[in-house]
mmCIF file with all atom_site columns, all heavy atoms in Angstrom:
data_model
loop_
_atom_site.group_PDB
_atom_site.id
_atom_site.type_symbol
_atom_site.label_atom_id
_atom_site.label_alt_id
_atom_site.label_comp_id
_atom_site.label_asym_id
_atom_site.label_entity_id
_atom_site.label_seq_id
_atom_site.pdbx_PDB_ins_code
_atom_site.Cartn_x
_atom_site.Cartn_y
_atom_site.Cartn_z
_atom_site.occupancy
_atom_site.B_iso_or_equiv
_atom_site.pdbx_formal_charge
_atom_site.auth_seq_id
_atom_site.auth_comp_id
_atom_site.auth_asym_id
_atom_site.auth_atom_id
_atom_site.pdbx_PDB_model_num
ATOM 1  N N   . ALA A 1 128 ? -0.273  -7.677 14.655 1.00 0.00 ? 153 ALA A N   1
ATOM 2  C CA  . ALA A 1 128 ? 0.219   -6.447 15.290 1.00 0.00 ? 153 ALA A CA  1
ATOM 3  C C   . ALA A 1 128 ? -0.387  -5.213 14.646 1.00 0.00 ? 153 ALA A C   1
ATOM 4  O O   . ALA A 1 128 ? -0.764  -4.250 15.338 1.00 0.00 ? 153 ALA A O   1
ATOM 5  C CB  . ALA A 1 128 ? 1.748   -6.395 15.205 1.00 0.00 ? 153 ALA A CB  1
ATOM 6  N N   . ARG A 1 129 ? -0.480  -5.217 13.319 1.00 0.00 ? 154 ARG A N   1
ATOM 7  C CA  . ARG A 1 129 ? -1.050  -4.058 12.619 1.00 0.00 ? 154 ARG A CA  1
ATOM 8  C C   . ARG A 1 129 ? -2.539  -3.906 12.915 1.00 0.00 ? 154 ARG A C   1
ATOM 9  O O   . ARG A 1 129 ? -3.035  -2.794 13.094 1.00 0.00 ? 154 ARG A O   1
ATOM 10 C CB  . ARG A 1 129 ? -0.806  -4.182 11.122 1.00 0.00 ? 154 ARG A CB  1
ATOM 11 C CG  . ARG A 1 129 ? 0.670   -4.065 10.742 1.00 0.00 ? 154 ARG A CG  1
ATOM 12 C CD  . ARG A 1 129 ? 0.864   -4.179 9.234  1.00 0.00 ? 154 ARG A CD  1
ATOM 13 N NE  . ARG A 1 129 ? 2.273   -4.248 8.908  1.00 0.00 ? 154 ARG A NE  1
ATOM 14 C CZ  . ARG A 1 129 ? 3.087   -3.192 8.820  1.00 0.00 ? 154 ARG A CZ  1
ATOM 15 N NH1 . ARG A 1 129 ? 2.598   -1.975 9.044  1.00 0.00 ? 154 ARG A NH1 1
ATOM 16 N NH2 . ARG A 1 129 ? 4.359   -3.335 8.509  1.00 0.00 ? 154 ARG A NH2 1
ATOM 17 N N   . LYS A 1 130 ? -3.252  -5.015 12.954 1.00 0.00 ? 155 LYS A N   1
ATOM 18 C CA  . LYS A 1 130 ? -4.680  -4.953 13.274 1.00 0.00 ? 155 LYS A CA  1
ATOM 19 C C   . LYS A 1 130 ? -4.897  -4.444 14.699 1.00 0.00 ? 155 LYS A C   1
ATOM 20 O O   . LYS A 1 130 ? -5.790  -3.635 14.962 1.00 0.00 ? 155 LYS A O   1
ATOM 21 C CB  . LYS A 1 130 ? -5.302  -6.346 13.115 1.00 0.00 ? 155 LYS A CB  1
ATOM 22 C CG  . LYS A 1 130 ? -5.428  -6.821 11.688 1.00 0.00 ? 155 LYS A CG  1
ATOM 23 C CD  . LYS A 1 130 ? -6.556  -6.122 10.955 1.00 0.00 ? 155 LYS A CD  1
ATOM 24 C CE  . LYS A 1 130 ? -6.782  -6.716 9.579  1.00 0.00 ? 155 LYS A CE  1
ATOM 25 N NZ  . LYS A 1 130 ? -7.873  -6.022 8.848  1.00 0.00 ? 155 LYS A NZ  1
ATOM 26 N N   . LYS A 1 131 ? -4.055  -4.922 15.610 1.00 0.00 ? 156 LYS A N   1
ATOM 27 C CA  . LYS A 1 131 ? -4.178  -4.503 17.008 1.00 0.00 ? 156 LYS A CA  1
ATOM 28 C C   . LYS A 1 131 ? -3.879  -3.018 17.154 1.00 0.00 ? 156 LYS A C   1
ATOM 29 O O   . LYS A 1 131 ? -4.558  -2.310 17.913 1.00 0.00 ? 156 LYS A O   1
ATOM 30 C CB  . LYS A 1 131 ? -3.224  -5.321 17.878 1.00 0.00 ? 156 LYS A CB  1
ATOM 31 C CG  . LYS A 1 131 ? -3.410  -5.115 19.367 1.00 0.00 ? 156 LYS A CG  1
ATOM 32 C CD  . LYS A 1 131 ? -2.536  -6.069 20.163 1.00 0.00 ? 156 LYS A CD  1
ATOM 33 C CE  . LYS A 1 131 ? -2.776  -5.900 21.662 1.00 0.00 ? 156 LYS A CE  1
ATOM 34 N NZ  . LYS A 1 131 ? -1.926  -6.850 22.440 1.00 0.00 ? 156 LYS A NZ  1
ATOM 35 N N   . GLU A 1 132 ? -2.883  -2.529 16.438 1.00 0.00 ? 157 GLU A N   1
ATOM 36 C CA  . GLU A 1 132 ? -2.534  -1.115 16.498 1.00 0.00 ? 157 GLU A CA  1
ATOM 37 C C   . GLU A 1 132 ? -3.645  -0.260 15.883 1.00 0.00 ? 157 GLU A C   1
ATOM 38 O O   . GLU A 1 132 ? -3.999  0.786  16.411 1.00 0.00 ? 157 GLU A O   1
ATOM 39 C CB  . GLU A 1 132 ? -1.211  -0.871 15.755 1.00 0.00 ? 157 GLU A CB  1
ATOM 40 C CG  . GLU A 1 132 ? -0.692  0.563  15.825 1.00 0.00 ? 157 GLU A CG  1
ATOM 41 C CD  . GLU A 1 132 ? -0.330  1.011  17.232 1.00 0.00 ? 157 GLU A CD  1
ATOM 42 O OE1 . GLU A 1 132 ? -0.286  0.167  18.148 1.00 0.00 ? 157 GLU A OE1 1
ATOM 43 O OE2 . GLU A 1 132 ? -0.091  2.219  17.410 1.00 0.00 ? 157 GLU A OE2 1
ATOM 44 N N   . ASN A 1 133 ? -4.227  -0.726 14.785 1.00 0.00 ? 158 ASN A N   1
ATOM 45 C CA  . ASN A 1 133 ? -5.325  0.008  14.145 1.00 0.00 ? 158 ASN A CA  1
ATOM 46 C C   . ASN A 1 133 ? -6.552  0.086  15.041 1.00 0.00 ? 158 ASN A C   1
ATOM 47 O O   . ASN A 1 133 ? -7.349  1.033  14.932 1.00 0.00 ? 158 ASN A O   1
ATOM 48 C CB  . ASN A 1 133 ? -5.702  -0.659 12.816 1.00 0.00 ? 158 ASN A CB  1
ATOM 49 C CG  . ASN A 1 133 ? -4.685  -0.389 11.730 1.00 0.00 ? 158 ASN A CG  1
ATOM 50 O OD1 . ASN A 1 133 ? -3.923  0.574  11.817 1.00 0.00 ? 158 ASN A OD1 1
ATOM 51 N ND2 . ASN A 1 133 ? -4.649  -1.235 10.704 1.00 0.00 ? 158 ASN A ND2 1
ATOM 52 N N   . ALA A 1 134 ? -6.703  -0.902 15.923 1.00 0.00 ? 159 ALA A N   1
ATOM 53 C CA  . ALA A 1 134 ? -7.862  -0.925 16.819 1.00 0.00 ? 159 ALA A CA  1
ATOM 54 C C   . ALA A 1 134 ? -7.891  0.283  17.745 1.00 0.00 ? 159 ALA A C   1
ATOM 55 O O   . ALA A 1 134 ? -8.940  0.650  18.285 1.00 0.00 ? 159 ALA A O   1
ATOM 56 C CB  . ALA A 1 134 ? -7.868  -2.214 17.630 1.00 0.00 ? 159 ALA A CB  1
ATOM 57 N N   . LYS A 1 135 ? -6.726  0.921  17.925 1.00 0.00 ? 160 LYS A N   1
ATOM 58 C CA  . LYS A 1 135 ? -6.644  2.092  18.804 1.00 0.00 ? 160 LYS A CA  1
ATOM 59 C C   . LYS A 1 135 ? -7.147  3.375  18.123 1.00 0.00 ? 160 LYS A C   1
ATOM 60 O O   . LYS A 1 135 ? -7.354  4.379  18.780 1.00 0.00 ? 160 LYS A O   1
ATOM 61 C CB  . LYS A 1 135 ? -5.199  2.310  19.256 1.00 0.00 ? 160 LYS A CB  1
ATOM 62 C CG  . LYS A 1 135 ? -4.593  1.149  20.027 1.00 0.00 ? 160 LYS A CG  1
ATOM 63 C CD  . LYS A 1 135 ? -3.130  1.422  20.342 1.00 0.00 ? 160 LYS A CD  1
ATOM 64 C CE  . LYS A 1 135 ? -2.477  0.250  21.044 1.00 0.00 ? 160 LYS A CE  1
ATOM 65 N NZ  . LYS A 1 135 ? -1.032  0.503  21.312 1.00 0.00 ? 160 LYS A NZ  1
ATOM 66 N N   . LEU A 1 136 ? -7.335  3.301  16.801 1.00 0.00 ? 161 LEU A N   1
ATOM 67 C CA  . LEU A 1 136 ? -7.636  4.525  16.048 1.00 0.00 ? 161 LEU A CA  1
ATOM 68 C C   . LEU A 1 136 ? -9.092  4.960  16.133 1.00 0.00 ? 161 LEU A C   1
ATOM 69 O O   . LEU A 1 136 ? -9.388  6.144  16.052 1.00 0.00 ? 161 LEU A O   1
ATOM 70 C CB  . LEU A 1 136 ? -7.243  4.325  14.570 1.00 0.00 ? 161 LEU A CB  1
ATOM 71 C CG  . LEU A 1 136 ? -5.759  4.021  14.312 1.00 0.00 ? 161 LEU A CG  1
ATOM 72 C CD1 . LEU A 1 136 ? -5.517  3.802  12.825 1.00 0.00 ? 161 LEU A CD1 1
ATOM 73 C CD2 . LEU A 1 136 ? -4.873  5.151  14.832 1.00 0.00 ? 161 LEU A CD2 1
ATOM 74 N N   . SER A 1 137 ? -10.002 4.001  16.274 1.00 0.00 ? 162 SER A N   1
ATOM 75 C CA  . SER A 1 137 ? -11.412 4.364  16.312 1.00 0.00 ? 162 SER A CA  1
ATOM 76 C C   . SER A 1 137 ? -12.226 3.233  16.928 1.00 0.00 ? 162 SER A C   1
ATOM 77 O O   . SER A 1 137 ? -11.751 2.088  17.031 1.00 0.00 ? 162 SER A O   1
ATOM 78 C CB  . SER A 1 137 ? -11.946 4.656  14.901 1.00 0.00 ? 162 SER A CB  1
ATOM 79 O OG  . SER A 1 137 ? -11.941 3.479  14.129 1.00 0.00 ? 162 SER A OG  1
#
Side-chain angles (χ1 to χ4, degrees):
R154 293 181 188 279
K155 289 285 187 181
K156 188 174 183 179
E157 184 64 10
N158 285 339
K160 300 176 183 178
L161 300 178
S162 66

